[in-house]
Amino acid sequence: MILSREEVKHIAALARLALDEQEVALYQEQLSTILEYFGRLQALDTGAIPPTATVLPIRNVMRDDEQVLSSTPEEILANAPAADEGCFSVSAVLET
Amino acid sequence: MELYSLTIHEARSLLAERKISALELTEAVLERILEVDNAIRAYLTLTPEEALEQARLADARRTQGDDAPLLGIPVAIKDVICTAGIPTTAGSRILENFIPPYDATAVAHLKAAGAIILGKTNTDEFAMGSSTENSAFFATRNPWDLERVPGGSSGGSAAAVAADECLGALGSDTGGSVRQPASFCGVVGLKPTYGRVSRYGLIAFASSLDQIGVLAKDVTDAAILLQVIAGYDPRDSTSVNLPVPDYMAALTGGLHGVTVGVPKEYFAAPEVMQPEVTAAVQAAVGVLADLGARILDISLPHTEYALPVYYLIAPAEASANLARYDGVRYGLRVERGDLIETYNATRGQGFGPEGKRRIMLGTYAWSAGYYDAYYLKAQKVRTLIRADFDAAFGQVDVIIAPTAPTTAFRIGEKVADPLQMYLSDIFTLSMNLAGICGVSIPCGFDHDGLPIGMQVLGPAFGEEQVLRVAYAYEQATEWHLRKPDDGRFRK
């Protein structure tokens, strides 16, 4: 298989996904099969071809710097799993 | 004729002539939903009270002389499109309790045009799938055969239109998610050009490919809906500031002077193609020729690479877009000792199997050591796929191709084999990679009585020529008038 179990676990860690052992085995097999199919791309010579990131011409989009109404803090915090004193609440990031 | 089975243009005439009221129409459709949706399961959320209130308001507006283009027309919205105050789950546990504080621009346009929102339709989680089986909540059934999938990811919207549970619906199309379910359910599915319809309020899956589209009972209705939602939006920096043409004016019925391209690569994959699909689309090309179109054999030589290119680029963009679901600002949070463990547990429990698969595939494609071999390579081949279409549209006005290699497959048939599921998208992926437009319309039925769909594809901002050809074909045929036998799913 193209991917090892360790690689699957590494990808899951990068993607912040907790996987159980069964999932690791399943994704190892499925992702390896998919990547193997993708190998056909390597047959194409693309040396001189520029990549396409978007079909639109890349440009900066500017607007006038004017105050406009947007959502209120109450509206935004209504969907928060935990909020406190008008802020999103999470467990401590730094040791105290 | 039952009111729920009306098209938008038929209902519009009856409403304008005051032969029916918006309230009667909305009540009839809500009653229809109660009768059939236990079996079809197209809707995730219904908003009957709001719908009836909007209908009364629409009738009051009409009394005052208002004649907005969708005044009193009941529609459904795919649940990846934000609706203020109405739950919007994206078919995922991670957004199960999310209530958007604002409307997507496309929804705001529908409301301003007088449309009545009936509810939110089922979708594969984050629009990732081809069967609507990846919904975290339940699978939707195909009205033509309840043991089969409606297609995906806009399977709820397509099934709702096919079963007369709404007059039209919004969907989203990242790699065929409007066109393929339209084909499986025997309805019309239009994917506009990238940039034609604002994506503001569409929950992001793959930002360079996503486009809101419409599902409708016929081509005229698709043109009416597109007219309302198309246009520049300063809130979407990828929406394009070009005037919106009068799409109804394109529905002339004639095809003289139109050149139709038939790409050989879409008819030469016998190992995956159902022969009846090939035959139906070839017969449809004959109809277009009889109507006066010139037919030209063409080639889109990089077609076979569309699947790997799409399934590298789309998951890579998805892995970035879905990074926002971390349990901090909205959505599910599974609390653990520290923040990293909270992220891991939240995302591990909140995303379903396909969501996790694509996040991992995309993370891998973007990870150190594999970027050049997979992602950059895919972006380069994307350039070639786009160049194929540019060359073709130098010779032809539209391209005809099957929408999917087969008719609707059975529920459960491809769930255990993701690559087989991905292969059901092979004919719809290239258009998103190239950013062009297309519509899927019914063009026949197979021996099981399942609908077959064909795509009419046009260049970027070529919606008028696409609608013109689709309309001419529709007027010359009667496939779009067939309805599934509702004796099998009506209570």
Side-chain angles (χ1 to χ4, degrees), chain B residues 4-363:
Chain B
Y4 55 73
S5 61
L6 293 171
T7 62
I8 291 174
H9 57 94
E10 288 166 347
R12 227 160 58 151
S13 301
L14 293 171
L15 286 162
E17 293 161 13
R18 315 286 170 99
K19 288 186 175 152
I20 60 170
S21 69
L23 188 60
E24 285 167 341
L25 178 60
T26 305
E27 282 174 343
V29 177
L30 287 170
E31 210 166 292
R32 171 73 174 177
I33 294 170
L34 287 181
E35 267 186 0
V36 305
D37 207 50
N38 269 346
I40 304 290
R41 311 207 78 185
Y43 283 92
L44 285 172
T45 303
L46 278 171
T47 53
E49 278 152 38
E50 293 90 333
L52 292 171
E53 183 55 38
Q54 287 170 28
R56 287 189 197 96
L57 209 63
D59 285 328
R61 277 171 70 177
R62 193 173 296 282
T63 307
Q64 288 157 11
D66 192 337
D67 192 25
L70 294 175
L71 191 59
I73 302 294
V75 298
I77 312 288
K78 184 181 184 181
D79 211 23
V80 290
I81 301 172
C82 286
T83 42
I86 302 172
T88 300
T89 67
S92 179
R93 291 279 172 215
I94 215 160
L95 282 179
E96 188 168 5
N97 298 311
F98 178 66
I99 301 177
Y102 61 88
D103 277 325
T105 296
V107 172
H109 281 318
L110 287 179
K111 284 184 176 174
I116 288 156
I117 312 288
L118 296 162
K120 306 298 293 288
T121 51
N122 200 12
T123 168
D124 288 297
E125 181 177 30
F126 288 101
M128 295 172 178
S130 317
S131 68
T132 316
E133 291 165 293
N134 294 333
S135 165
F137 303 106
F138 46 78
T140 296
R141 309 271 168 163
N142 189 318
W144 294 89
D145 179 347
L146 299 182
E147 298 308 310
R148 293 182 189 261
V149 302
S153 65
S154 309
S157 286
V161 171
D164 286 327
E165 297 185 73
C166 61
L167 271 66
L170 291 189
S172 66
D173 191 315
T174 304
S177 279
V178 163
R179 290 162 288 151
Q180 184 256 25
S183 166
F184 280 13
C185 291
V187 300
V188 173
L190 173 72
K191 176 229 174 286
T193 304
Y194 184 78
R196 179 75 288 182
V197 176
S198 170
R199 295 184 296 114
Y200 179 76
L202 169 64
I203 293 176
F205 158 19
S207 304
S208 80
L209 306 166
D210 293 340
Q211 182 60 67
I212 290 178
V214 303
L215 292 121
K217 294 180 185 180
D218 64 16
V219 174
T220 306
D221 282 5
I224 291 170
L225 289 168
L226 176 64
Q227 194 79 52
V228 169
I229 62 171
Y232 175 65
D233 178 9
R235 287 171 149 159
D236 173 7
S237 63
T238 62
S239 83
V240 175
N241 198 352
L242 280 177
V244 179
D246 179 359
Y247 293 118
M248 293 296 278
L251 310 182
T252 57
L255 286 183
H256 289 283
V258 173
T259 304
V260 171
V262 182
K264 63 177 182 200
E265 290 80 5
Y266 286 75
F267 297 85
E271 69 281 10
V272 291
M273 284 291 286
Q274 185 177 332
E276 290 167 294
V277 172
T278 315
V281 179
Q282 280 166 341
V285 171
V287 172
L288 297 178
D290 291 343
L291 289 169
R294 191 167 74 96
I295 310 298
L296 199 63
D297 289 326
I298 60 167
S299 174
L300 298 165
H302 296 93
T303 297
E304 67 168 302
Y305 301 106
L307 190 139
V309 170
Y310 176 87
Y311 278 99
L312 285 162
I313 289 175
E317 293 184 15
S319 72
N321 276 325
L322 272 54
R324 74 191 67 181
Y325 302 102
D326 57 6
V328 172
R329 291 162 301 163
Y330 44 75
L332 177 76
R333 177 189 293 184
V334 181
E335 197 78 56
R336 288 289 183 268
D338 66 38
L339 202 53
I340 294 278
E341 286 308 310
T342 299
Y343 293 156
N344 290 343
T346 297
R347 294 164 59 79
Q349 288 185 30
F351 291 123
E354 185 63 23
K356 288 187 218 175
R357 196 149 41 231
R358 298 218 192 172
I359 289 170
M360 305 239 306
L361 198 52
T363 302

Side-chain angles (χ1 to χ4, degrees), chain A residues 9-70:
Chain A
K9 288 181 176 175
H10 175 63
I11 299 163
L14 289 174
R16 301 281 184 264
L17 289 170
L19 299 184
D20 61 33
E21 287 302 317
Q22 273 179 324
E23 286 178 303
V24 171
L26 181 72
Y27 290 129
Q28 183 193 3
E29 189 206 317
Q30 291 182 338
L31 295 176
S32 292
T33 304
I34 293 164
L35 289 171
E36 193 185 319
Y37 182 87
F38 290 178
R40 64 180 55 198
L41 282 182
Q42 306 309 326
L44 274 177
D45 177 9
T46 51
I49 310 294
T52 296
T54 166
V55 293
L56 297 173
I58 294 174
R59 72 213 196 285
N60 213 345
V61 178
M62 308 293 277
R63 65 164 174 82
D64 293 334
D65 187 17
E66 287 170 349
Q67 278 192 349
V68 288
L69 281 176
S70 63

